[in-house]
Amino acid sequence: MGKERIEQSFQEKQAAGQKLFIPYIMAGDGGLDILEDRINFLAKSGVAAVELGIPFSDPIADGPTIQAAGGRALANGTSLKAVLDQLQSFVAANTAVPIILMTYLNPIYNYGIEKFVADCEKSGVDGIIIPDLPMEEEELIAGVLQEHSIAFIRLVAMTSPKERMIEIAKRSEGFLYAVSVMGTTGARQSHGANVQDYLDTLKENSPVPVLAGFGVSSIEQAHELSAHCDGVIVGSRIVELFDQGQDEEVRKLIQGSIEVGVRR
Amino acid sequence: MRKSSDLLHLLKTIERMIPLTTYTMPDETGRFGSFGGRFVPELLMPALLELEEAYEKAKNDPQFTEELNYYLQQYVGRETPLYFAKQLTKEVGGANIYLKREDLNHTGAHKINNTVGQALLTLRMGKKKVVAETGAGQHGVATATVCALFGLECIVFMGEEDIRRQKLNVFRMELLGAEVRSVSQGSGTLKDATNEALRYWASNVNDTHYILGSAVGPHPFPKIVRDLQSVIGKETKQQIVEQTGKLPDAIVACVGGGSNSIGMFHPFIKDESVKLVGVEAAGAGIDSDQHAASITKGRKGILHGTLSNLLQDENGQITEAFSISAGLDYPGVGPEHSHLNETGRVHYTAITDAEALDAFQALSRIEGIIPALESAHAVAYALKLAKEMDTNQTLVICLSGRGDKDVEQVKNRLEGK
Ligand SMILES: Cc1ncc(COP(=O)(O)O)c(C=O)c1O
């Protein structure tokens, strides 16, 4: 469960000479009843974990693609409670990959922090990412997560001064989420040249694996970034491909991206 | 063992007993009691820390104060009068009513008190670009104005729906050299424009300052905006004592995000004899689902970087606010107001669209002053309150803005369109 499960999954992939790949999907986009199949499909395609987004009315860290997916999910009645219930119906028993929830703070604050964490555990959630909770405010949930051994994955940004990067890396559990663009989620053609130095610095200082996310949309980008860290997180592109019914393209993107370790 | 709810109650009771002379909110983490804070993506944290440092330095720099006062006096037109509304007082037949005339400021509202100060901070931080959100366009115009004055590039995000409702203010901003960007996401109103402004800021944070328009958002914004707007309350205090020889018995201000009201209230917080009343928008009615009364009807939650009272559904999704006045049409409120509500120092109440419309017409007819629809909410409640007060008591209304911008909308509404 939790941190150990994430560590174990990562180690298995890395032992096989692969780079890590975490896809982001929006819970409830396309309906909650497809969730189990989708997670299993991703697991079979070779992902190291699945990042499951909880839709929120005001997602300030997200670009147009994920905003639209969240809008679709909310329109068909998706709520945090419904997602946790759905997960509990299959995940707790047995999923092939760790599940990491990505949620803005208000839905969980409203749900009740303690109840949320307890229900995450019941539902087999292994890790949590909260994009609007910086270090200064994290005591709101950090202690409760600790008691439940759910990994509290921290985000670091290109604007963080070095001492802050080191402190955030030290606190992060499971892995360190390296936000690798200046801005919101959403496909970009390329990442700036300084992103390599940024990832190198994180890699040198992080006791946990470093994954680069935001703006990653192609196998080439995945290779470029993975050369400087442990792998990538791909959101908007995956959300878009699933929405268009191009599941096979998703599989190709994942498999092409994880192979990089072998080629090097 | 004591239950934690008992403890919380005890703490709150103790908090109430602490003399208000020690009021020093917020603390260094941006908390007003249990409200406030800075709930933003890591990407923005360094910018908030930079802003805080720049502000603390500026505040203690006599040159900054001098410069700010110069522009407030020579450009904005301060100080604004505290006007004894004799006709209105006679008509109501209760307390003596005074109007703090923020409507006489350059650009027609209190909003410019904040934008002048933040533009000066922008220059001090060496930034060349400004981003802002706007609902009705008042804050957008006040921001575009100071950007023109100080040669700053200006981008204003405005909801698609608001652009449609407030075409003239869009043109005004463009005349002033700002770029207005339409926001179609969500409900296409102020909340969504604020989301987009925050997203834009995250993408351009190295050369851009975000001039937030009310006492909301992550620390240090609620503090900066309050301090800059406190000029309203400071002047009022001096003026009322000069004119009546004593402090007022009551002060009434409207609350959208809460900047004119906190600016008016803050200098009086320690004066416990002064009753402070914040008036929210009750829209179609406080028990309908069409209002903007985040304190009266909302629950604690996190939006736009701060923990405060919010309109939200049972799943923690933020719901839309409704009010005839675009400037009050926001589902959240500044954290300091949530705190002052919790401690009971300020009383919060709400006024409907219909009551505000009546007050809008009454003030126009009786005093020859057309108030902003936002301010008309304060007027409406003040008229009720004044009636219950003695003729030797005084009541101050914060007249936050003038109603020129609202005339067309009111005309349509009255004609049943
Ligand atoms: C004239 C006027 N009064 C009041 C408000 C409400 O804002 P706040 O509560 O921040 O004073 C606005 C906002 O646009 C306004 O234009």
Side-chain angles (χ1 to χ4, degrees):
Chain A
M1 282 299 293
K3 283 169 236 180
E4 289 75 41
R5 214 161 103 88
I6 295 173
E7 272 166 30
Q8 198 187 337
S9 168
F10 282 16
Q11 278 162 12
E12 279 168 22
K13 303 289 176 195
Q14 287 176 323
Q18 295 177 354
K19 282 294 180 177
L20 306 173
F21 188 103
I22 299 182
Y24 170 101
I25 56 175
M26 175 62 77
D29 187 17
L32 276 178
D33 42 348
I34 63 163
L35 192 56
E36 181 172 7
D37 286 349
R38 193 155 276 181
I39 291 172
N40 286 331
F41 172 81
L42 291 165
K44 279 208 204 88
S45 306
V47 303
V50 170
E51 185 184 343
L52 187 59
I54 302 297
F56 181 49
S57 52
D58 297 85
I60 55 166
D62 286 304
T65 307
I66 293 179
Q67 284 175 43
R72 291 193 294 269
L74 288 175
N76 68 34
T78 307
S79 65
L80 176 57
K81 179 162 188 338
V83 175
L84 290 172
D85 287 349
Q86 186 76 18
L87 284 177
Q88 204 176 348
S89 73
F90 62 89
V91 174
N94 176 24
T95 42
V97 287
I99 304 288
I100 294 161
L101 282 198
M102 178 345 272
T103 174
Y104 288 88
L105 188 55
N106 198 54
I108 65 179
Y109 185 82
N110 172 76
Y111 194 90
I113 299 282
E114 302 215 355
K115 179 168 157 50
F116 165 71
V117 175
D119 286 357
C120 275
E121 194 165 63
K122 271 189 233 151
S123 302
V125 170
D126 300 288
I128 308 275
I129 299 171
I130 307 171
D132 55 351
L133 191 68
M135 204 157 64
E136 281 75 4
E137 303 288 352
E138 68 182 31
E139 68 194 50
L140 201 61
I141 189 169
V144 188
L145 285 173
Q146 206 84 53
E147 283 165 30
H148 289 261
S149 88
I150 293 173
F152 183 11
I153 295 147
R154 269 64 160 197
L155 299 116
V156 65
M158 294 169 81
T159 50
S160 319
K162 190 166 175 193
E163 317 82 73
R164 243 183 114 84
M165 285 184 183
I166 293 171
E167 178 60 29
I168 293 170
K170 202 167 78 188
R171 294 184 188 200
S172 200
E173 298 166 356
F175 67 91
L176 177 63
Y177 194 133
V179 173
S180 296
V181 298
M182 287 290 293
T184 55
T185 60
R188 308 280 204 286
Q189 289 303 322
S190 64
H191 288 75
N194 51 349
V195 81
Q196 299 179 354
D197 292 341
Y198 163 68
L199 293 174
D200 289 341
T201 307
L202 293 176
K203 231 0 238 170
E204 271 163 39
N205 290 287
S206 176
V208 289
V210 177
L211 278 86
F214 284 39
V216 191
S217 62
S218 68
I219 295 173
E220 293 68 40
Q221 281 175 310
H223 287 187
E224 265 170 46
L225 296 174
S226 292
H228 298 268
C229 62
D230 299 289
V232 293
I233 301 156
V234 180
S236 297
R237 182 68 184 145
I238 298 269
V239 164
E240 188 175 58
L241 288 172
F242 274 133
D243 185 47
Q244 296 165 350
Q246 302 200 55
D247 296 20
E248 188 48 29
E249 289 300 310
V250 172
R251 201 185 55 78
K252 281 192 209 155
L253 175 58
I254 295 167
Q255 294 187 339
S257 299
I258 60 181
E259 291 310 324
V260 67
V262 184
R263 271 195 225 158
R264 265 210 302 162
Chain B
M1 206 185 82
R2 254 178 196 286
K3 284 211 300 278
S4 64
S5 60
D6 289 347
L7 268 176
L8 197 72
H9 183 75
L10 188 72
L11 277 175
K12 274 187 197 159
T13 313
I14 293 173
E15 197 169 55
R16 279 200 199 101
M17 284 163 19
I18 296 175
L20 286 165
T21 44
T22 61
Y23 187 90
T24 53
M25 303 278 170
D27 66 15
E28 67 282 4
T29 67
R31 293 287 170 150
F32 300 89
S34 61
F35 299 95
R38 32 193 166 188
F39 297 91
V40 295
E42 171 62 16
L43 189 56
L44 289 177
M45 267 313 291
L48 292 180
L49 296 171
E50 178 194 7
L51 176 61
E52 190 180 349
E53 197 186 311
Y55 176 64
E56 294 303 326
K57 247 197 224 139
K59 214 175 57 172
N60 297 315
D61 180 351
Q63 205 188 328
F64 177 77
T65 313
E66 201 177 304
E67 215 175 350
L68 178 60
N69 288 342
Y70 170 81
Y71 285 107
L72 288 178
Q73 194 180 74
Q74 301 297 329
Y75 188 74
V76 175
R78 303 205 71 94
E79 66 179 25
T80 59
L82 180 71
Y83 166 69
F84 174 49
K86 198 167 153 192
Q87 303 300 326
L88 194 64
T89 298
K90 205 156 82 188
E91 182 95 7
V92 173
N96 294 299
I97 302 170
Y98 289 78
L99 304 175
K100 180 58 175 166
R101 299 289 309 272
E102 291 302 299
D103 60 318
L104 294 177
N105 284 329
H106 180 42
T107 72
H110 68 291
K111 296 283 176 187
I112 198 158
N113 301 331
N114 170 41
T115 59
V116 167
Q118 286 205 47
L120 290 173
L121 278 176
T122 308
L123 296 174
R124 282 175 84 96
M125 289 187 291
K127 294 188 171 183
K128 301 269 183 299
K129 276 165 57 183
V130 158
V131 63
E133 83 296 338
T134 198
Q138 289 307 102
H139 173 59
V141 168
T143 305
T145 298
V146 297
C147 286
L149 175 66
F150 294 115
L152 295 162
E153 195 181 324
C154 180
I155 295 174
V156 179
F157 285 94
M158 188 168 181
E160 191 174 57
E161 179 61 21
D162 288 333
I163 287 185
R164 198 185 53 73
R165 289 193 285 198
Q166 300 283 342
K167 282 192 207 79
L168 270 182
N169 267 344
V170 175
F171 183 62
R172 250 177 220 129
M173 287 184 266
E174 286 168 354
L175 266 182
L176 292 161
E179 180 193 337
V180 180
R181 292 202 190 166
S182 170
V183 177
S184 58
Q185 285 97 329
S187 50
T189 58
L190 178 58
K191 159 178 100 80
D192 310 286
T194 307
N195 290 338
E196 271 309 285
L198 281 166
R199 291 183 187 116
Y200 179 90
W201 195 32
S203 303
N204 298 276
V205 67
N206 289 334
D207 64 353
T208 304
H209 175 57
Y210 180 16
I211 301 194
L212 196 50
S214 190
V216 299
H219 178 64
F221 283 109
K223 178 182 178 179
I224 294 179
V225 176
R226 175 199 71 195
D227 289 355
L228 291 171
Q229 292 292 2
S230 288
V231 66
I232 303 174
K234 283 182 201 151
E235 286 178 7
T236 300
K237 200 169 189 172
Q238 201 171 3
Q239 291 167 317
I240 194 84
V241 172
E242 275 168 18
Q243 293 183 36
T244 70
K246 59 183 174 74
L247 290 175
D249 296 285
I251 302 180
V252 181
C254 68
V255 180
S259 68
N260 86 86
S261 47
I262 202 69
M264 176 56 110
F265 295 162
H266 191 253
F268 291 95
I269 283 183
K270 295 173 188 170
D271 303 308
E272 290 187 69
S273 68
V274 183
K275 183 182 166 83
L276 304 174
V277 186
V279 184
E280 300 190 290
I286 203 73
D287 294 318
S288 73
D289 56 4
Q290 303 211 327
H291 60 75
S294 357
I295 292 185
T296 314
K297 283 292 193 166
R299 277 183 292 120
K300 248 176 146 170
I302 295 102
L303 176 68
H304 298 147
T306 192
L307 202 171
S308 187
N309 284 77
L310 299 178
L311 301 181
Q312 52 184 321
D313 70 12
E314 72 277 13
N315 296 313
Q317 305 295 340
I318 311 307
T319 52
E320 246 183 276
F322 289 89
S323 167
I324 187 172
S325 114
L328 302 183
D329 210 346
Y330 181 70
V333 67
E336 191 161 13
H337 286 289
S338 288
H339 172 66
L340 293 170
N341 175 56
E342 198 172 80
T343 62
R345 176 62 188 97
V346 178
H347 173 64
Y348 294 87
T349 182
I351 282 291
T352 64
D353 288 354
E355 291 172 307
L357 270 172
D358 285 347
F360 182 91
Q361 296 168 82
L363 193 67
S364 304
R365 226 178 326 95
I366 299 169
E367 288 289 348
I369 297 172
I370 303 177
L373 272 173
E374 292 80 10
S375 323
H377 286 71
V379 175
Y381 184 77
L383 296 186
K384 293 194 212 177
L385 182 61
K387 203 172 285 177
E388 292 164 10
M389 292 168 68
D390 283 346
T391 50
N392 61 358
Q393 291 188 301
T394 55
L395 180 157
V396 176
I397 301 173
C398 185
L399 202 70
S400 56
R402 60 173 171 252
D404 305 34
K405 69 184 175 61
D406 300 315
V407 168
E408 189 186 350
Q409 191 193 353
V410 170
K411 176 170 182 281
N412 289 339
R413 174 90 173 223
L414 293 177
E415 290 169 355
K417 279 189 213 161

